[in-house]
Amino acid sequence: NAGVTQTPKFRILKIGQSMTLQCTQDMNHNYMYWYRQDPGMGLKLIYYSVGAGITDKGEVPNGYNVSRSTTEDFPLRLELAAPSQTSVYFCASSRAGTRDYNEQFFGPGTRLTVL
Amino acid sequence: RKEVEQDPGPFNVPEGATVAFNCTYSNSASQSFFWYRQDCRKEPKLLMSVYSSGNEDGRFTAQLNRASQYISLLIRDSKLSDSATYLCFGAGGTSYGKLTFGQGTILTVHP
């Protein structure tokens, strides 16, 4: 199993550009998450999904969109990149809800810089 | 007030030392707690879950105090390889969106 994979690993965007961060998991997990981590900070939840076709906002959803058409894939879309979106983005998945002590498995992250 | 707060450190300890971190949480409805470890520029990985009864895994012991709303992590006989950032995580409440990481505690173990 590859676990959770993310592409690209690095990206530099200009202000106003758009891009999609890809996330795929091969563990047949129902729950998937997108976090961002700013330097010296913890992870903040952007969006999450409890299954294909179901998504919901986390703590910091503004400026992002997601979709979940399959169990495996959970892409994150930035429509109009802003410098404030410079961060490391982690995708994660879990078999079921973390409220029930289900471990989250993280991808290696995408380092995004907006100039 | 942040939902989950940690002392960011850094904690600098010699090999063999015992070190403890605390993490306080504000949402009394939080149900499950975890400690994750994050190496520099890497993704977080689960270190251990924190149950009400406490749990131990080798040199690591995690405790949960619901009355005072904090969790703790104790590392005994520190190794150089324990140097990392330790993130506490709380989940639960009334929404699956209530997933909150602390900002992390930096540990450096030196020879």
Side-chain angles (χ1 to χ4, degrees):
Chain A
N1 284 352
V4 181
T5 57
Q6 292 183 239
T7 57
K9 291 185 178 179
F10 305 92
R11 184 71 185 268
I12 298 175
L13 282 182
K14 293 182 180 179
I15 295 173
Q17 286 185 320
S18 61
M19 75 165 295
T20 299
L21 283 66
Q22 302 291 345
C23 175
T24 300
Q25 54 92 8
D26 63 359
M27 297 174 282
N28 201 32
H29 284 172
N30 288 318
Y31 288 67
M32 295 188 74
Y33 316 85
W34 273 106
Y35 292 92
R36 60 177 287 173
Q37 185 176 35
D38 299 328
M41 302 298 289
L43 287 81
K44 294 185 177 180
L45 183 66
I46 305 172
Y47 271 96
Y48 68 100
S49 170
V50 301
I54 306 169
T55 62
D56 207 348
K57 297 177 181 178
E59 181 184 358
V60 289
N62 291 344
Y64 308 94
N65 280 300
V66 294
S67 59
R68 183 96 181 272
S69 57
T70 66
T71 299
E72 295 78 19
D73 300 307
F74 190 40
L76 178 71
R77 179 82 178 163
L78 283 72
E79 290 294 348
L80 290 170
S84 60
Q85 294 178 305
T86 295
S87 191
V88 180
Y89 291 84
F90 289 103
C91 178
S93 72
S94 63
R95 182 180 60 82
T98 56
R99 191 168 64 178
D100 301 314
Y101 279 103
N102 286 283
E103 176 185 355
Q104 291 181 81
F105 294 85
F106 286 82
T110 294
R111 298 184 180 279
L112 175 66
T113 301
V114 182
L115 300 173
Chain B
R1 182 183 175 186
K2 294 181 182 177
E3 291 220 23
V4 177
E5 292 201 61
Q6 288 183 255
D7 181 348
F11 286 71
N12 294 298
V13 301
E15 275 186 291
T18 296
V19 62
F21 312 133
N22 281 343
C23 175
T24 59
Y25 62 94
S26 61
N27 184 357
S28 59
S30 296
Q31 295 188 3
S32 56
F33 301 89
F34 307 80
W35 283 103
Y36 280 78
R37 171 191 168 128
Q38 185 174 27
D39 294 307
C40 188
R41 302 176 73 82
K42 297 284 189 180
E43 72 272 22
K45 293 185 178 179
L46 181 66
L47 178 66
M48 55 198 312
S49 303
V50 188
Y51 303 112
S52 296
S53 56
N55 52 315
E56 185 173 320
D57 183 4
R59 299 182 292 108
F60 298 85
T61 300
Q63 297 280 351
L64 167 61
N65 186 316
R66 288 195 183 274
S68 300
Q69 296 188 196
Y70 74 87
I71 65 171
S72 63
L73 178 67
L74 180 76
I75 306 175
R76 291 180 297 276
D77 189 24
S78 299
K79 312 292 184 188
L80 296 176
S81 57
D82 293 333
S83 296
T85 298
Y86 292 84
L87 300 161
C88 64
F89 173 80
T94 58
S95 163
Y96 284 102
K98 281 294 184 184
L99 311 176
T100 309
F101 276 93
Q103 70 179 98
T105 297
I106 299 170
L107 171 65
T108 301
V109 181
H110 56 82

